[in-house]
Amino acid sequence: METFTYATSKLKVSDEIQYAPNIAYLSRVNHSLSQSWGLIAERLFADEKEVANSPLQYGDNTLRGGDIKYKDVNKDGIINDDDMVPIGYPQQPEIIYGFGISSGFKRFDLSFFFQGSARSSFFISPDATQPFFMNGGFQNNLLQAIADNHWSEDKQDMYAFWPRLSTNRIYSNNRPSTWWMRNGNFLRLKSVDLGYNIPEIKSLRLRSTRVYFSATNLFVFSKFKMWDVEMGGNGLGYPVQSVYSIGAQFNF
C-alpha cells in the first residue's frame, strides 16, 4: 500500500501596499499561503561594544553579548519587521506520503506502515521553551539541549544553540528568524503488526488462535533531534506516544 500527496499554494493577488524596490521582498504575492517569514540571524553578539556599533534591534537598547544579531536587509540602520524575508519551506507540509506491506509465511503474518512528510519548516518556540521563566505561574524546565549548548560568560560561543540565559523575556531574541527555524521533514514507522497463527486445538474446542505483537509510533527518522519532530516548536509539550501490545485472538 502506497500513498503520496503533493499540495502547494501560491498567493496571486493581495490587497497590500505598493512596496518600494528596496523592500519589494516584503510582498506576499507569489509565495505559498503558509510561507514562513522571519529575520536572518547572523550569529550572537560578541559583547556590548558590538551591540552599540550595530543597528538597533526593535528599539531595545538593553541587548548584550549573547543576544541574537540580525541582518539589516534593507540597510536602513535599524532592525524591525521590514527586515523579515521569506525563509525555509511553508509551515504546512507540501508532501505527505506513506507506504507499507502486508505479507504472510506459513503460520506467520506481518504488516507494517511508514508515514512521512516533506517540504515543511517550523520555528522552535523560545517563548515556550525558555528555561527559568515563570509561565502561567509555573517555571519552565531546563531542556538538556539548552543546558548543553548555550552562550555564557565562561563559554562565549557565538553560534551556541541558545542565547544568553535570562529570567526575563528578551523579545528581540524571540522573533521568528533563521536562528529558530528547523526542517520539519520526517519518516515514521507508524505501525507494526506481527502474528503467529495456531491451527485448531480440538481439546480446547478452538478452531484457531492468533498470538500477536503490535506497536504504533515505534521510531522516526528526522534531521531534527531535540525532541519528536511532530511536536513542532514546543519541546515542553505532550510528546507523541509509542504504544506496544501483546495479545491473542481466539476463534471458537
Side-chain angles (χ1 to χ4, degrees):
M1 179 175 64
E2 298 179 358
T3 62
F4 182 90
T5 302
Y6 174 73
T8 188
S9 63
K10 182 179 288 189
L11 180 64
K12 300 302 293 183
V13 179
S14 177
D15 185 14
E16 61 185 21
I17 65 173
Q18 187 67 37
Y19 291 105
N22 67 319
I23 55 172
Y25 54 82
L26 293 175
S27 174
R28 264 54 173 174
V29 175
N30 291 324
H31 291 287
S32 169
L33 296 178
S34 63
Q35 174 64 49
S36 299
W37 292 72
L39 301 165
I40 298 175
E42 297 181 333
R43 53 176 173 79
L44 302 180
F45 283 114
D47 50 34
E48 284 73 13
K49 182 178 179 180
E50 184 181 19
V51 173
N53 292 324
S54 299
L56 185 64
Q57 299 187 170
Y58 286 94
D60 189 347
N61 56 12
T62 65
L63 298 182
R64 298 163 46 190
D67 291 326
I68 300 175
K69 179 181 180 180
Y70 299 116
K71 181 178 181 178
D72 184 7
V73 175
N74 62 2
K75 302 185 185 303
D76 64 353
I78 58 173
I79 304 296
N80 55 26
D81 286 352
D82 287 346
D83 296 296
M84 285 193 169
V85 297
I87 54 177
Y89 288 113
Q91 297 181 48
Q92 297 297 324
E94 293 186 326
I95 295 176
I96 299 291
Y97 64 96
F99 59 89
I101 192 172
S102 295
S103 63
F105 179 73
K106 295 184 178 180
R107 296 180 180 177
F108 289 94
D109 62 82
L110 171 67
S111 64
F112 61 84
F113 186 74
F114 283 90
Q115 183 183 66
S117 75
R119 292 183 61 84
S120 71
S121 300
F122 68 93
F123 292 108
I124 292 175
S125 173
D127 281 337
T129 55
Q130 179 183 345
F132 314 125
F133 181 77
M134 295 299 294
N135 193 355
F138 299 93
Q139 188 179 78
N140 285 348
N141 294 323
L142 173 64
L143 292 173
Q144 190 63 50
I146 299 175
D148 293 341
N149 191 9
H150 65 274
W151 188 94
S152 67
E153 292 290 346
D154 296 330
K155 188 179 180 181
Q156 298 181 8
D157 181 359
M158 291 184 290
Y159 297 94
F161 161 62
W162 197 266
R164 67 179 176 94
L165 297 174
S166 175
T167 56
N168 299 317
R169 290 287 197 216
I170 305 173
Y171 291 100
S172 178
N173 289 345
N174 294 6
R175 302 285 177 174
S177 73
T178 54
W179 194 267
W180 303 116
M181 174 160 278
R182 296 296 185 272
N183 190 327
N185 297 356
F186 71 89
L187 174 63
R188 182 185 300 280
L189 180 53
K190 189 66 178 179
S191 63
V192 169
D193 190 273
L194 174 64
Y196 180 76
N197 298 280
I198 302 171
E200 182 179 11
I201 304 176
K202 293 183 178 180
S203 60
L204 298 179
R205 297 182 180 180
L206 288 175
R207 293 170 56 189
S208 64
T209 303
R210 181 177 181 268
V211 180
Y212 66 88
F213 165 79
S214 65
T216 58
N217 299 324
L218 283 83
F219 56 83
V220 63
F221 299 102
S222 172
K223 292 182 178 180
F224 184 74
K225 304 298 183 183
M226 292 180 59
W227 51 76
D228 194 299
V229 65
E230 282 196 272
M231 294 172 64
N234 185 2
L236 299 177
Y238 199 75
V240 176
Q241 298 294 294
S242 297
V243 179
Y244 301 87
S245 303
I246 297 176
Q249 298 171 330
F250 302 100
N251 186 10
F252 293 92

